[in-house]
């Protein structure tokens, strides 16, 4: 009983109610930062401790590996038996189900999971076989197939007009042949992990009965991001006991572009008649000023459940805005603010994040952060396991695990080069297609193929190599197998020529070995198949915020995370909101939800930035401020927007620096930053002078600073001025110091002098 009391004592009144409501369908509308993970884990613990539910009869589904790991760790600290509980992403859950019963729908349990790159390669071969134009159809076909599977439709069920796109008849034919090729390769794509599970449940009642009986209590996090097939699977699993507990926030539904249905959460209490609905509106994450902005923005959406976040946290500093002259200027501002805060607070680099709608905006931040010596990590772009050298190395392991995997076979037989040309591979493909066998099995029947003696010998030797690897795999772990494969294939020798690119690739291969070692250490007894599944389902955001570095990420990549200090960049029309949302109310509302998600990641400080011009689509274009900035006017300083309507003048902006819309209450945070009046935080600077930090440079030559001149700094030594910003006593110079890097320095205060000659 003491455990229960302690558990409940950590919850507020809003949170306790859904925790205690254990039977039937329950919907919890959980606002950003409202403690939904605590509610989920507390409810599960309550079921085990108070209701005496067997942990093996409890399922908890979330939508990122990171969130699943956090939930597991929290549960392990509260209750015993969590190792018997299913706590995972929905894709991992489906893999686990399919490994047990996929043979019932014609696949082998050692199936391969294809990523987007693999999917595209299979489709290109389908186009070739069908005589279709890949340039015209590839993107349409990928979207069509993904949408059909997310809508629970097989090739035989989909209406030829369903996609709403041109080439409907061709798209259906492509979908059907694509499925045939996947089945021949004993492979599934990501959408199949859900769709095949749905088909398995639909067509094999005994399988569904087993899981519906097993899971007496089902918990689903981030329910606003579920699509039709996910909703259907959840409903099937809850069909026997009816205890389904879902948590989510319709204001954070941002995945409509990949099939998520906001209606799943908005209509939950209609689908599940008699469902109880609770709201969590107290925010534990952000300051009052940040929440005021979040509420101000999201209230402009009409398709939402009414709620308003509140907090008992402090007011905090005001939200700042900055308008740069261009994208580099915008990034420079972020770099300077990070440097300032790092110098005068106990923040670490990992406490900072820069969010953007599209990953293309990251280039300027990469450039400026490098210049200012700021460590950073890019997320939401090119993922580690999508790198060519990683996919090439893993292709060997995939064929060892699943000899039907033709896609991985074609990749590994070509890397490293072993003198087997495209003509020979085409002959092998045609031979195997005629017999209906895998490419690997084709190597066992080389005597029946009409290929030259030299090609036959090379194919035979490759078969011996694969057989040797499969034999080695039976007696060794994953990491040791990977090392053995890399050694026997001389894989690393293709990167022997010294270059920055090859060094990076060799580093990545070393990191791949590390993943195998770590996986085996964390999962005693895990198989090669388990490792490949885990790596295929991993994302680049699983390790976000682990290093002491600034996170530069798309907004989609950071949902569910939080940072002390956040910059939301690119607040221009056609970027956020994205151009394609124009005129589409549903899409525009999703863009506004993206803005809301970005704002509510911030704990203490928030900056909204944009640029007057950007290099876009091959040319420099003037930009218009985002409508979301206009909607924020009641909260942030409206005078800043009035200034933007007028032509620039030296009274409040600098062509080379941009404009910082300063809040008087927070000048102490940035004593040497330019303000929107072109000056500095002089009152605070004076207070620093009284304490001797810093000392004003009485002999500063404000007119003598120009690009290219040599200077000497008391701490950094000699350097060269590479940029000059501001006028009069408000000059800031960027100086490149040998062995130190580039520093942004105030001429008025820096202990620095110009060198003669």
């Amino acid at each position: 009983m003491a455990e229960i009391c302690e558990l409940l004592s950590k919850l507020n009144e809003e949170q306790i109610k859904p925790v205690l409501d254990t039977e039937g369908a329950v919907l919890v509308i959980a606002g950003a930062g409202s403690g939904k993970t605590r509610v989920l884990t507390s409810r599960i613990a309550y079921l085990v401790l108070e209701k005496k539910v067997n942990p093996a009869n409890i399922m908890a589904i979330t939508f990122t590996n990171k969130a699943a790991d956090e939930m597991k760790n929290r549960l392990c600290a509260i209750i015993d038996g969590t190792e018997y509980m299913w706590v995972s992403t929905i894709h991992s859950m489906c893999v686990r189900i399919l490994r047990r019963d996929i043979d019932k729908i014609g696949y082998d349990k050692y199936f391969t999971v294809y990523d987007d790159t693999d999917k595209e390669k299979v489709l290109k071969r389908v186009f070739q076989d069908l005589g279709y134009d890949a340039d015209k159809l590839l993107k349409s076909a990928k979207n069509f197939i993904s949408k059909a599977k997310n809508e629970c439709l097989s090739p035989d069920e989909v209406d030829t007009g369903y996609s709403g796109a041109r080439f409907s008849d061709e798209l259906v034919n492509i979908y059907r042949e694509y499925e045939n090729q996947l089945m021949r390769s004993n492979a599934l794509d990501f959408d199949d992990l859900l769709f095949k599970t749905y088909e398995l449940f639909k067509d094999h009642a005994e399988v569904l009965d087993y899981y519906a009986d097993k899971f007496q209590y089902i918990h689903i996090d981030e329910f606003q991001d579920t699509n039709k097939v996910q909703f259907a699977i959840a409903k099937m699993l809850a069909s026997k006991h009816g205890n389904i507990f879902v948590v989510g926030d319709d204001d954070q539904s941002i995945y409509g572009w990949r099939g998520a249905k906001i209606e799943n959460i908005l209509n939950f209490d209609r689908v599940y008649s008699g469902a109880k609905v609770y709201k969590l509106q107290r925010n534990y994450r952000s300051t009052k000023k940040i929440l005021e902005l979040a509420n101000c923005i999201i209230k402009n959406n009409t398709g939402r459940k009414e709620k308003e976040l509140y907090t008992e946290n402090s007011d905090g500093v005001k939200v700042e805005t900055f308008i740069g002259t261009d994208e580099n200027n915008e990034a420079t501002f972020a770099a300077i603010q990070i440097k300032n805060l790092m110098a005068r607070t106990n923040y670490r680099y990992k406490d900072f994040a820069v969010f953007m709608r599209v990953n293309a905006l990251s280039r300027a931040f990469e450039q400026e952060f490098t210049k200012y010596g700021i460590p950073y990590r890019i997320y939401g772009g090119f993922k580690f396991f999508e790198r060519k050298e990683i996919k090439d190395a893993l292709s060997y392991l995939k064929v060892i695990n699943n000899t039907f995997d033709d896609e991985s076979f074609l990749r590994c037989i070509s890397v490293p080069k072993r003198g087997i040309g495209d003509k020979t591979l085409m002959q092998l493909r045609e031979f195997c297609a005629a017999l209906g066998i895998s490419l690997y099995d084709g190597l066992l029947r080389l005597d029946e193929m009409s290929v030259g003696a030299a090609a036959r010998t090379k194919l035979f030797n490759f078969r011996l190599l694969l057989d040797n690897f499969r034999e080695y795999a039976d007696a060794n772990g994953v990491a040791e197998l990977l090392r053995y494969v890399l050694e026997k294939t001389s894989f690393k020798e293709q990167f022997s020529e010294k270059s920055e690119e090859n060094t990076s690739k060799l580093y990545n291969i070393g990191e791949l070995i590390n993943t195998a070692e770590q996986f085996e250490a964390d999962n005693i007894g895990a198989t090669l198949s388990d490792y490949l599944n885990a790596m295929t389902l991993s994302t680049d955001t699983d390790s976000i915020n682990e290093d002491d570095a600034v996170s530069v990420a798309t907004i989609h990549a950071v949902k569910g995370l939080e940072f002390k200090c956040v910059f939301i960049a690119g607040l221009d029309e056609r970027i956020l909101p994205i151009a394609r949302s124009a005129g589409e109310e549903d899409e525009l509302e999703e863009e506004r939800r993206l803005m809301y998600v970005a704002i509510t990641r911030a704990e203490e400080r928030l900056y909204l930035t944009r640029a007057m011009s950007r290099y876009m689509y091959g040319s420099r274009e003037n930009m218009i401020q985002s409508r979301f900035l206009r909607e924020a006017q009641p909260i942030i300083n409206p005078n800043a927007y009035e200034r933007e309507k007028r032509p620039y003048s030296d009274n409040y902006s600098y062509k080379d620096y941009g404009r910082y819309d300063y809040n008087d209450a927070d000048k102490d945070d940035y004593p040497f930053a330019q303000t929107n009046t072109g000056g500095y935080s002089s009152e605070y600077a004076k207070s620093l002078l009284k304490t001797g930090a810093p000392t004003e440079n009485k002999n500063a030559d404000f007119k003598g600073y120009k690009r290219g001149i040599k200077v000497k700094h008391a701490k950094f030594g000699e350097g060269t001025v590479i940029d000059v910003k501001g006028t009069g006593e408000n000059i800031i110079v960027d100086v490149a110091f040998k062995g130190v890097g580039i520093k942004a320095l105030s001429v008025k205060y820096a202990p620095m002098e110009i060198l003669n000659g």
Side-chain angles (χ1 to χ4, degrees), residues 397-398 400-401 473 478 481 519 526-533:
L397 303 193
K398 291 181 178 180
I400 294 167
N401 179 67
V478 178
L481 171 63
F519 181 81
T527 65
L528 173 60
S529 181
D530 294 330
Y531 169 75
L532 292 172
N533 288 341

Side-chain angles (χ1 to χ4, degrees), residues 89 114 125 178 220 313 316 329 381 396 447 481 484 650 674:
T89 66
Y114 282 175
R125 286 204 299 275
Y178 171 74
I220 303 177
N313 294 342
N329 186 207
Y396 284 92
D447 292 341
L481 171 63
Y484 186 74
D650 286 339
Q674 285 182 297

Side-chain angles (χ1 to χ4, degrees), residues 327 356-366 380-381 554 615:
E327 63 272 23
M356 52 201 63
R357 176 62 177 87
V358 291
N359 193 62
L361 269 61
S362 67
R363 183 205 58 79
F365 290 92
E366 293 183 63
T554 61
Y615 192 80

Side-chain angles (χ1 to χ4, degrees), residues 12-225:
N12 66 34
E13 187 177 343
E14 286 182 344
Q15 295 170 332
I16 288 176
K17 293 177 181 178
V19 167
L20 300 181
D21 196 344
T22 60
E23 307 306 306
V26 178
L27 167 63
V28 180
I29 301 294
S34 62
K36 65 182 178 65
T37 303
R38 172 166 288 181
V39 169
L40 274 165
T41 53
S42 297
R43 186 179 194 267
I44 293 170
Y46 182 77
L47 286 170
V48 174
L49 296 173
E50 179 67 15
K51 296 293 184 177
K52 308 303 179 186
V53 178
N54 187 332
N57 297 133
I58 297 174
M59 170 186 284
I61 297 300
T62 187
F63 281 79
T64 67
N65 296 318
K66 195 179 186 73
D69 289 341
E70 181 184 355
M71 194 179 296
K72 288 176 189 174
N73 292 335
R74 290 199 191 187
L75 286 168
C76 286
I78 305 172
I79 57 175
D80 295 326
T82 54
E83 65 270 25
Y84 304 110
M85 195 180 298
W86 283 35
V87 181
S88 70
T89 66
I90 192 167
H91 287 87
S92 294
M93 177 200 77
C94 288
V95 166
R96 193 168 176 179
I97 291 170
L98 291 171
R99 289 291 177 201
R100 181 179 180 269
D101 290 302
I102 198 171
D103 60 300
K104 293 180 173 60
I105 55 174
Y107 292 81
D108 183 276
K109 67 177 182 177
Y110 295 110
F111 60 83
T112 301
V113 181
Y114 282 175
D115 63 16
D116 200 54
T117 304
D118 300 326
K119 177 179 180 178
E120 192 167 299
K121 286 194 171 184
V122 174
L123 280 171
K124 286 181 178 178
R125 286 204 299 275
V126 169
F127 295 142
Q128 186 178 20
D129 293 343
L130 296 178
Y132 291 161
D133 188 338
D135 291 337
K136 289 183 178 180
L137 289 169
L138 182 59
K139 185 175 181 180
S140 297
K142 286 174 62 177
N143 293 339
F144 177 84
I145 292 169
S146 182
K147 186 176 180 181
K149 292 181 179 182
N150 286 332
E151 294 286 339
C152 307
L153 297 169
S154 69
D156 292 332
E157 294 168 330
V158 68
D159 182 352
T160 56
Y162 162 75
S163 71
R166 294 175 59 209
F167 315 115
S168 292
D169 290 339
E170 291 92 338
L171 290 175
V172 175
N173 292 338
I174 291 167
Y175 182 14
R176 181 173 287 107
E177 182 55 30
Y178 171 74
E179 288 296 281
N180 290 338
Q181 291 211 19
L182 286 188
M183 177 165 274
R184 285 198 295 270
S185 294
N186 192 37
L188 307 179
D189 61 26
F190 276 114
D191 295 318
D192 277 329
L193 296 179
L194 304 175
F195 183 47
K196 298 304 180 186
T197 301
Y198 165 79
E199 287 194 319
L200 180 63
F201 285 170
K202 178 172 65 74
D203 298 335
H204 296 273
E206 74 283 6
V207 178
L208 175 59
D209 287 345
Y210 170 80
Y211 289 104
D213 183 59
K214 173 179 173 62
F215 297 117
Q216 298 173 16
Y217 292 89
I218 296 166
H219 303 77
I220 303 177
D221 192 11
E222 305 287 3
F223 197 69
Q224 75 281 348
D225 293 329

Side-chain angles (χ1 to χ4, degrees), residues 571-610:
L571 281 169
D572 303 298
E573 287 291 304
R574 296 190 297 151
I575 295 178
L576 184 60
I578 201 76
R580 65 173 176 268
S581 67
E584 297 291 336
E585 191 59 31
D586 288 346
E587 291 194 27
L588 182 58
E589 293 212 346
E590 180 158 317
E591 293 294 300
R592 190 174 285 110
R593 293 194 291 269
L594 261 179
M595 180 69 176
Y596 176 81
V597 165
I599 292 170
T600 54
R601 300 311 94 199
E603 297 176 344
E604 299 174 3
R605 298 175 184 275
L606 177 63
Y607 301 86
L608 310 178
T609 71
R610 59 171 300 253

